[in-house]
Amino acid sequence: MIRGTTTTVDRPDAARVRSHRRGGTGPAAGAPQRARWADAAKGVCIILVVLWHVVVKDYLRIDWHLGVPVPGLWGALGEQFLPLRMPLFFTISGVFAANAVRRPWRVVARGRVAGFLYLYALWLLIHTAVLAVAPDFPTDRATSALGLLEQLTITPSNLWYLYALALYFTLAKVTRDAPRVLVVVPAGVLSAVAAAGLLETPGNRAGLYQNLVFFLAGLYLRPRIEWWAATATRRRLVLTSGAYGLALAAMALTDAQQWWGVWPLVSVVAVAFGVTAAARLERWPTLGGRLAALGRVTLPVYVIHMPVLAVLHRLLHGPVSGLGPVGQGLIALGYPVVVTGLVIGASLAAHRGLLAVRAGWLFALPGTRRPEPAR
């Protein structure tokens, strides 16, 4: 899934990225216009999630013998989106959560907290069972009853986003009447401490610690974020993209990824760029509409894509590794894009199939409306 990286499970993948680098449809009718940019942002984020997993869990595991560092270039590109992908996703989650946290406790507890915990536990069990038949696929999974219990409670799995939303909604509801500074400042400090490696963060706890502040920012600053999106200009897009590029370059040149406060600060710049870019993309009817449509169905892609990728990895790893330099040269550059498209398409197809056989309980707590992971 980058951090200095967003989850601890990504750290070995990020190291592998660096070693490779050295070696070689429109919106639904009636959808509120103000939310289209946010749905477009969610669409981009889920694409980046899947692309990163394709790169680090499949692409870089292939035995490439090209003579040129094309795989390393893809790894390096994927790393540049690490400060953007999950912070932006959680910021959008907070924006959508602003109305939900005002509802009575019984509504929030069942519709959000219990709903996301149900999805997390259900899909954790599914992932554990499915990935057990793909032991060579490089991803986090429980291999014992104790390990499964740990993932269910204190050290979330690759599905940690759902787990985080349940906790974040609870915290947001509990602290709704507290002074915001007393909530946001500790969350920011926690993010900086975790990003600097000053806290033990096994499994995916780092992502849990680092992204709370972005969820709260989306929740508390929703009017300002919506204004930022509504007033996005081409000039601002150029300025924010330039600021993001400079921040990434400075962080890389000074090796400052784990300096206290640097990673959250770069992520803030990334989110400012991400909101601006999403707002500009949303104004392109074809591309923006398709991204927004994808953004409204991120949940099935999020929960289904890893088993799909595990199957594709098993099917493709041997044949692609066995190709000669010419054959590999023809596919190396576009491989991550094609496989990302296949994984997303297969995940959406599986979702439609499951709904057709009335398995909607896989995507919502029975008796509640189906949630989106970023809502």
Side-chain angles (χ1 to χ4, degrees), residues 109-129:
R110 177 167 172 77
R112 301 294 174 166
V113 179
F116 285 121
L117 286 177
Y118 165 80
L119 289 172
Y120 174 71
L122 175 64
W123 282 96
L124 175 61
L125 294 174
I126 293 172
H127 279 211
T128 301

Side-chain angles (χ1 to χ4, degrees), residues 151-164:
Q151 289 191 339
L152 279 169
T153 54
I154 60 173
T155 306
S157 73
N158 285 325
L159 295 159
W160 66 276
Y161 186 42
L162 299 171
Y163 184 92

Side-chain angles (χ1 to χ4, degrees), residues 53 232 318 348 362 372:
H53 286 161
L348 292 174
L362 288 170
E372 287 295 332

Side-chain angles (χ1 to χ4, degrees), residues 10-350:
D10 291 336
R11 286 175 182 160
D13 291 334
R16 189 177 182 91
V17 165
R18 288 188 285 273
S19 80
H20 272 266
R21 191 190 312 159
R22 289 191 294 268
T25 350
Q33 287 297 109
R34 63 183 174 84
R36 283 193 57 182
W37 68 268
D39 283 330
K42 287 167 57 185
V44 171
C45 286
I46 198 64
I47 291 171
L48 293 177
V49 167
V50 177
L51 176 62
W52 177 245
H53 286 161
V54 167
V55 169
V56 298
K57 298 179 185 299
D58 175 46
Y59 185 64
L60 295 184
R61 309 285 170 163
I62 291 172
D63 182 16
W64 296 101
H65 32 88
L66 298 170
V68 290
V70 174
L73 292 177
W74 266 109
L77 177 64
E79 282 191 316
Q80 307 319 302
F81 294 110
L82 290 174
L84 168 70
R85 176 174 52 84
M86 296 314 295
L88 178 59
F89 224 153
F90 276 107
T91 300
I92 303 303
S93 300
V95 168
F96 280 118
N99 290 330
V101 296
R102 297 191 187 102
R103 295 169 185 159
W105 249 115
R106 58 181 178 79
V107 177
V108 175
R110 177 167 172 77
R112 301 294 174 166
V113 179
F116 285 121
L117 286 177
Y118 165 80
L119 289 172
Y120 174 71
L122 175 64
W123 282 96
L124 175 61
L125 294 174
I126 293 172
H127 279 211
T128 301
V130 173
L131 293 174
V133 302
D136 295 330
F137 182 65
T139 195
D140 188 25
R141 88 280 301 281
T143 57
S144 66
L146 186 60
L148 181 61
L149 179 61
E150 183 179 7
Q151 289 191 339
L152 279 169
T153 54
I154 60 173
T155 306
S157 73
N158 285 325
L159 295 159
W160 66 276
Y161 186 42
L162 299 171
Y163 184 92
L165 284 179
L167 295 185
Y168 294 176
F169 265 99
T170 301
L171 180 63
K173 185 63 178 174
V174 168
T175 61
R176 182 168 176 259
D177 296 325
R180 292 179 177 180
V181 67
L182 297 182
V183 183
V184 174
V185 170
V189 171
L190 177 63
S191 180
V193 168
L198 302 177
L199 246 160
E200 186 178 356
T201 53
N204 290 278
R205 286 191 211 166
L208 211 60
Y209 299 156
Q210 287 177 235
N211 288 288
L212 171 60
V213 67
F214 295 99
F215 178 86
L216 294 173
L219 179 69
Y220 296 149
L221 301 178
R222 174 176 174 172
R224 293 174 182 262
I225 293 171
E226 290 180 331
W227 171 84
W228 183 266
T231 59
T233 62
R234 186 177 303 174
R235 179 173 180 269
R236 187 187 295 167
L237 178 60
V238 172
L239 291 174
T240 54
S241 62
Y244 183 32
L246 286 173
L248 288 172
M251 185 169 64
L253 288 172
T254 58
D255 197 24
Q257 289 89 337
Q258 289 194 312
W259 290 7
W260 197 92
V262 168
W263 188 263
L265 181 59
V266 173
S267 293
V268 168
V269 177
V271 170
F273 160 68
V275 172
T276 304
R280 296 299 299 178
L281 282 172
E282 184 269 331
R283 297 172 191 179
W284 295 7
T286 301
L287 179 58
R290 290 181 177 177
L291 287 172
L294 177 60
R296 288 189 288 271
V297 288
T298 52
L299 173 60
V301 177
Y302 181 72
V303 298
I304 296 173
H305 82 275
M306 193 68 76
V308 170
L309 180 57
V311 172
L312 285 177
H313 177 72
R314 185 164 187 172
L315 293 174
L316 296 174
H317 181 271
V320 175
S321 295
L323 290 175
V326 174
Q328 286 193 342
L330 292 173
I331 67 171
L333 194 58
Y335 181 99
V337 175
V338 173
V339 174
T340 296
L342 288 173
V343 170
I344 292 175
S347 299
L348 292 174

